[in-house]
Amino acid sequence: MADAFVRLGRFMRPEEAELAKAALAAQEIESEIRGGQAAATLGFLPLVTAELWVRAGDLDAAREALTSVTRRTSDMPPRACPHCGEENPPTFESCWSCGRDVEAR
């Protein structure tokens, strides 16, 4: 029988839960988001959260994976978009302002 799912964490914004889910998927850790749809339809009310759930057997590995990602990205400097000059977090692939690729020159 497969492991039951357990809650790994809560996020005030559904997009943060999506980023965490993507980080886990990169480590081949299965996860699912619960509750984020309500936050999106209600306009990010502070009492509505998205929860990230993983299989019980993957809980420790999932915690380590997210800690590792957080540790790596917190030491990285922001980068300027080569097209519009806006500053972007180091993990963004597309500029938050103009939407173009921040890697392209």
Side-chain angles (χ1 to χ4, degrees), residues 19 69 72-74 76-79 88-94 102-103:
L19 288 172
V69 167
R72 278 195 318 264
T73 58
S74 65
M76 297 169 64
R79 38 187 198 177
N88 288 274
T91 56
F92 279 30
E93 293 177 4
S94 299
V102 294
E103 302 274 340

Side-chain angles (χ1 to χ4, degrees), residues 20-31:
K21 181 176 174 45
L24 295 178
Q27 298 295 316
E28 299 183 0
I29 298 173
E30 181 182 5
S31 63

Side-chain angles (χ1 to χ4, degrees), residues 13-73:
R13 297 175 28 196
E15 58 269 24
E16 291 173 341
E18 290 289 346
L19 288 172
K21 181 176 174 45
L24 295 178
Q27 298 295 316
E28 299 183 0
I29 298 173
E30 181 182 5
S31 63
E32 60 183 48
I33 295 173
R34 299 180 184 175
Q37 299 83 1
T41 58
L42 296 175
F44 300 124
L45 295 175
L47 298 177
V48 179
T49 59
E51 297 179 342
L52 187 60
W53 291 65
V54 297
R55 295 203 179 272
D58 292 333
L59 185 59
D60 291 337
R63 286 181 176 149
E64 177 57 34
L66 293 184
T67 299
S68 176
V69 167
T70 303
R71 192 178 314 120
R72 278 195 318 264
T73 58

Side-chain angles (χ1 to χ4, degrees), residues 1 8 25-26 28 42-43 68 82-83 101:
M1 182 172 143
L8 174 63
E28 299 183 0
L42 296 175
S68 176
H83 307 286
D101 188 354

